[in-house]
Every structure is written in C-alpha cells, then in structure tokens.
Amino acid sequence: MYDSPLYRMALRQLDRVAERIHLDPWIHQRLQVPKRAWIVAVPTLMDDGSLSVFTGYRVQHDFSLGPSKGGVRYSPNVNLADMTAMAMSATWKCALMDLPFGGAMGGVRCDPERMSLGELERMTRRYISEIILSIGPEIDVPAPDLCTDEQTMAWMLDTYSLQKGYTRSGVVTGKPLILGGTQGGSRATGMGVIFALEETLRALRWKTQAPTLAVQGFGKVGAAAASLLYQKGFKVIAVSDVRGGIYSPRGLDIELLKKHREESGAVVNFPGAEPLTGQELLEIPCDILIPAALENQITEENADRLRCKIVIEGASSPTTQEADEILEGKGIFVIPDILANGGGVAISYFEWVQDTQHLFWTEEETTWRLRDIMSRGFHKVYQYAQREGVSMRLAAHILGISRLAEAHKLRGLYP
Ligand code: GLU
C-alpha cells in the first residue's frame, strides 16, 4: 500500500538519521508509518450532470508535539505513499522550526486544470465533510498546496463551520484576510526563502554584487521569491512555469513579467527573452538556483550538469537522494526544503495563533517574526552542519528528528 520512490526516499532519509543518532528502534519503527491515514470517496456533481467519484486522502503522520499540520493538493498524481512521504517531511519540518505541530498531508486525485470553479467547490466541500471527524484547530489543520489557494481554504472553513454550527477559523490556514487569515500570508513562503538565502550569503561571506538567479516555478513560492529578490537587486536571468521557461542573460524585469503572466497566463513569449524548458533552466550557469515547482526535478540524470553555486529548495523534495550526493560532491551549497520553505508553515503557525487568540498582528509584526524564525532555523542547521561535517540536509533532518524522538521518549508508550 505504501510504496513510491518518494516514500522510499523518506524512509532512507529516516534510516540514515536513525543510525547516526542511535534512535530507539521502537521510535524508528513508529516514525516509518503515519499515526493514521484517511482514504475517502469524494463523489462530486459535475457541471454536465454526471457524477465523478474522486479519491481523497489525509495522512496524519505525527501528533506528539501538537496538532498535525500540512497542505492539501489537487493533482492527478496524488497517492497514499507520496502523501505519507510528504506528511513525514512536514513532521520533520515543524520539529526543526520549533513549532508545536506534527506533520500531515492531504489531497484529492483529480485534474484541477480541467474542472470548473463550481466543480472544485463541490469537490472541496465533500472532501472536507468526509474527513471532518479528523480535522480541527486542535487536531489537524490543512493549508494550501499545489492547485489549492485562499478560496479553497474559505470553502473548507465554511463547510467545517456549517457542520459544527459555529465558525472555527483556526481549522485551516492560508485563508483570506477577512476570514481570519494573516497579514503577509500569501508571500510568506517566498519571503522565508529570501530570509534563509540572506542568512546563507552572510554565512558564506558572499561578495558578488547582483548575484544571478534562476527560478523554476512561478507560482506562490517562485513568483514571490523572484519578485522580492529582483527588488533587492538580484539579477533574475531565467524563470519557468508549467508551460515553459524564458532566459535573458541581461536579467528579466520581474514586475513586467508578472504583468505579462497575468495577461497571457504564462511566462513564455515574454518580449526580449529566449525560450527554454524547465529542465534546461536547471542547467544554466547562475549563482543561485531556486527549484520552486515540483518534487523530483534534480535527479541523477541532470545533477552533474548543474552550474550554480547555491540551490535553495522552495519546492518540497525537488532533489532526489542520488542527485543530492552528486551536488555535495560538486561542492554546491544546498539549503534543504524543510528549512528553505519552512516559512510556509511558520506563517501558518502565526495565523493559527492569531485565530486562537482572536488578536491580530500587523504586517511588520508577522514579518519580523518570520525573519526571526528563519534566521534561528538557518543558524541552528548551519552550525550543526559545520561542527559535525555533514550536509545542510542531513543536519536539518538530524535536528528535526532528534527533537521528535525526545518528545516520543518523554511521552513513552501507552499502555
Ligand atoms: N503547503 C504548505 C507547505 O508545504 C503547508 C503549510 C502548512 O501546513 O501550514 O509549506
């Protein structure tokens, strides 16, 4: 039931850490599987009057530090094993970032590109009603991920609240501001990537003026990161989205590119730029590469051809384990996903705290808190990696999993 390359990679990562930190065998075994996993039928009325029965998943990997937290994605590739791997990764991420959450992940196996807004709304509402027993502000808190957004979260909040009979805004995060969302929410993951990158450049004593940048993925994370770095004077030389990529060695005007994308629906055909594919983008010479699209993009096939100095992983699991070893051998500095995109779940934590207390913060307050959490996370991982002579990825996993192991040990086994 649980088998996919992503899940196998998650298990190998856990095994590697377990060996290094002498993890108790029972905790190791427990962390290999989720605490619980829901598989639900999601019958949905389609616009043409027919009924489609989609399959929905919600995998809750761990509860030992608090309620579980993780995104919901709509994609034809959603399956139980991948959801489990992503939920495990969410657990390590929350533990690493010192958040009082465990990890979860959910999704519906469907093709959202081919569905109308009405169909998406009906599917979302039915999915939430099917898993309603298992979610809640103190139980498990969904958030946006691939092909889900603020509107999806608003439908989820509404469905949950109508069934309970009162509004509980803390049941989901990533909501519109007016429904209990947080200031700075939509740009937070991209902003977190920037804060982690700034710490990296300082730690590496980077001297280059206007470093060059390539960004794979121009969605919530990639577009926000590209835009913020462009404003800071970085030279963004290549960008791609699902429809293809563009390249200009002189640098792209990201503000104009955002307008072009709004009007045309894609980054391709941007005036003055050369076309290239999302795969070619990974291999162009640049200082910093931000994979911010999908998992499994940097593989043993292409890792050797990368010509960047730093990879900062905006997406989750963009690098396979084999590729990771190649990058390490080439001396490329990799800031791993669970640290680099940790700003997403950090801002979710801020939103959940505000909802729970009914006290809302200003944008300045959320921004400094985000900077602080990213900076502390970075230095913790960097210092450990330096001291122990291990990669940033291994350091991040060791720190996250050790914290979790301590919680499991203290709580013990019941009965
Ligand atoms: N998709 C988000 C992430 O991976 C989820 C964050 C959350 O669970 O709140 O960062």
Side-chain angles (χ1 to χ4, degrees):
M1 190 153 71
Y2 295 108
D3 191 35
S4 74
L6 205 62
Y7 181 54
R8 263 176 267 145
M9 181 165 107
L11 288 181
R12 282 202 304 270
Q13 252 161 8
L14 174 61
D15 291 348
R16 200 162 158 215
V17 173
E19 198 182 297
R20 259 196 109 95
I21 65 173
H22 308 292
L23 187 61
D24 261 334
W26 75 267
I27 299 177
H28 185 182
Q29 270 182 47
R30 162 58 192 87
L31 294 178
Q32 287 170 337
V33 288
K35 176 167 177 65
R36 58 186 177 219
W38 291 70
I39 306 178
V40 295
V42 188
T44 302
L45 181 65
M46 306 306 275
D47 290 343
D48 65 3
S50 67
L51 202 75
S52 290
V53 183
F54 300 107
T55 307
Y57 302 88
R58 185 71 184 168
V59 178
Q60 297 161 340
H61 177 251
D62 198 76
F63 283 6
S64 58
L65 293 167
S68 55
K69 191 80 198 78
V72 172
R73 61 171 55 187
Y74 293 163
S75 152
N77 301 321
V78 163
N79 64 66
L80 183 61
D82 283 3
M83 295 286 104
T84 306
M86 290 177 200
M88 284 168 79
S89 180
T91 300
W92 318 149
K93 191 191 305 189
C94 293
L96 172 69
M97 304 307 284
D98 285 333
L99 303 177
F101 290 139
M105 186 68 195
V108 180
R109 192 179 176 91
C110 64
D111 189 352
E113 304 295 334
R114 303 176 66 177
M115 293 171 71
S116 70
L117 205 62
E119 290 168 341
L120 287 170
E121 175 174 356
R122 290 191 291 275
M123 183 183 79
T124 301
R125 289 186 182 277
R126 184 62 191 247
Y127 168 63
I128 288 302
S129 350
E130 293 297 336
I131 60 166
I132 202 154
L133 291 177
S134 181
I135 59 169
E138 304 299 334
I139 309 170
D140 176 25
V141 186
D145 198 80
L146 199 69
C147 294
T148 54
D149 58 15
E150 283 194 355
Q151 179 60 72
T152 325
M153 296 305 118
W155 293 327
M156 289 183 177
L157 159 70
D158 187 63
T159 308
Y160 180 87
S161 301
L162 286 177
Q163 290 212 15
K164 293 284 165 190
Y166 51 89
T167 295
R168 289 303 305 273
S169 54
V171 66
V172 288
T173 59
K175 299 176 294 289
L177 201 55
I178 192 170
L179 296 179
T182 182
Q183 295 284 354
S186 54
R187 297 189 309 161
T189 313
M191 202 183 268
V193 169
I194 309 305
F195 292 150
L197 179 62
E198 285 177 342
E199 296 297 342
T200 305
L201 298 182
R202 255 194 295 276
L204 300 181
R205 298 197 168 80
W206 191 273
K207 295 273 182 329
T208 318
Q209 295 295 317
T212 53
L213 186 75
V215 186
Q216 189 200 39
F218 206 62
K220 274 172 285 210
V221 184
S227 170
L228 290 163
L229 286 170
Y230 172 73
Q231 285 160 19
K232 285 177 182 287
F234 287 60
K235 195 154 120 187
V236 187
I237 58 171
V239 166
S240 69
D241 61 21
V242 276
R243 303 244 310 263
I246 51 170
Y247 169 63
S248 167
R250 294 184 312 282
L252 299 157
D253 181 328
I254 299 299
E255 296 311 318
L256 285 181
L257 178 62
K258 283 203 305 204
K259 272 207 202 91
H260 168 79
R261 185 161 194 246
E262 254 164 47
E263 283 158 18
S264 72
V267 298
V268 287
N269 299 325
F270 184 59
E274 292 167 37
L276 90 178
T277 65
Q279 282 300 312
E280 285 164 353
L281 174 141
L282 298 172
E283 299 173 19
I284 60 165
C286 60
D287 293 315
I288 300 152
L289 173 66
I290 309 186
L294 289 174
E295 50 280 354
N296 295 336
Q297 296 300 302
I298 306 174
T299 63
E300 60 185 325
E301 300 288 299
N302 61 10
D304 203 34
R305 296 197 295 273
L306 259 58
R307 284 174 288 170
C308 57
K309 301 187 181 82
I310 295 174
V311 172
I312 176 153
E313 297 182 336
S316 289
S317 308
T319 312
T320 66
Q321 200 166 7
E322 295 77 17
D324 208 30
E325 283 159 21
I326 299 173
L327 300 187
E328 215 178 320
K330 281 166 71 85
I332 296 179
F333 190 83
V334 180
I335 304 130
D337 51 1
I338 61 168
L339 171 62
N341 68 29
V345 70
I347 201 84
S348 283
Y349 168 59
F350 300 158
E351 183 172 334
W352 177 81
V353 167
Q354 292 170 78
D355 289 337
T356 313
Q357 299 181 341
H358 307 285
L359 177 68
F360 289 88
W361 307 343
T362 60
E363 178 140 21
E364 290 72 49
E365 191 161 1
T366 45
T367 306
W368 78 252
R369 284 185 191 276
L370 182 64
R371 185 189 287 277
D372 180 58
I373 225 166
M374 294 308 296
S375 160
R376 276 188 287 131
F378 174 84
H379 287 289
K380 201 162 68 168
V381 175
Y382 185 67
Q383 277 159 20
Y384 187 93
Q386 294 290 101
R387 196 176 65 233
E388 301 295 324
V390 297
S391 70
M392 290 286 283
R393 189 181 315 277
L394 186 55
H397 280 94
I398 289 176
L399 291 168
I401 294 170
S402 300
R403 180 156 181 260
L404 205 67
E406 200 183 329
H408 273 277
K409 208 167 179 165
L410 285 167
R411 289 179 61 150
L413 262 187
Y414 173 80

